[in-house]
Amino acid sequence: MVESLSPSKQQVWKELAVDPADITIIKNRYSALAHGASTLERVLRNLGIDTLLVAGTKTNVCCDSTARDAMMLDFKSVLLSDCCAALSDEEHLASLETFIQQFGDVMTADEALERLQPEASAQDVKPIAALNT
């Protein structure tokens, strides 16, 4: 096994509440949707999910790659601007600007949740998948 894929190197953020019933997906490429990177596409299609809200680090690498690939695979793709981070504000903002111009939408978590569930807030909604990277 490649050392970076060993369980000791793959940890979900300690403050993220992960329920035993949650779906956990391991990815081994910048994009979770690149061929051979993970089972994410299969899981999403089996669940009938057509929209991805993408969050994580780095905005301009893993998040952008996954969100672009989602669009290329005919998913609706949204980068959550306040749930992504890059090494600098300039990298973060440039990635968001390019994404919204060409590939999908950019929203805050609260904006996305208002559109999905008008009465929900960011604290009320749980992710269906946690990606270990």
Side-chain angles (χ1 to χ4, degrees):
M1 171 183 283
V2 176
E3 183 182 352
S4 64
L5 296 178
S6 70
S8 65
K9 300 280 184 180
Q10 304 289 316
Q11 298 176 358
V12 174
W13 180 49
K14 65 183 175 185
E15 294 184 33
L16 178 65
V18 180
D19 187 273
D22 289 344
I23 299 167
T24 300
I25 296 172
I26 307 268
K27 75 176 183 84
N28 60 15
R29 302 282 189 279
Y30 290 140
S31 170
L33 292 166
H35 180 74
S38 75
T39 59
L40 181 60
E41 181 183 5
R42 185 175 336 127
V43 169
L44 295 171
R45 297 215 189 271
N46 286 340
L47 293 171
I49 294 171
D50 69 350
T51 303
L52 270 67
L53 305 178
V54 179
T57 59
K58 297 181 186 181
T59 310
N60 56 327
V61 182
C62 295
C63 298
D64 183 72
S65 296
T66 297
R68 285 183 189 207
D69 284 348
M71 184 278 294
M72 298 291 188
L73 292 168
D74 297 323
F75 289 97
K76 297 173 195 139
S77 187
V78 180
L79 276 175
L80 298 177
S81 59
D82 58 342
C83 297
C84 295
L87 293 179
S88 70
D89 287 343
E90 292 80 13
E91 291 173 322
H92 176 72
L93 295 172
S95 186
L96 296 176
E97 184 65 32
T98 299
F99 190 80
I100 198 168
Q101 288 180 18
Q102 303 296 324
F103 301 103
D105 210 342
V106 173
M107 298 180 194
T108 65
D110 283 336
E111 290 169 339
L113 290 172
E114 284 174 21
R115 290 187 183 196
L116 293 171
Q117 298 176 341
E119 297 177 22
S121 71
Q123 293 78 24
D124 298 329
V125 177
K126 226 177 129 181
I128 64 146
L131 292 178
N132 286 341
T133 59

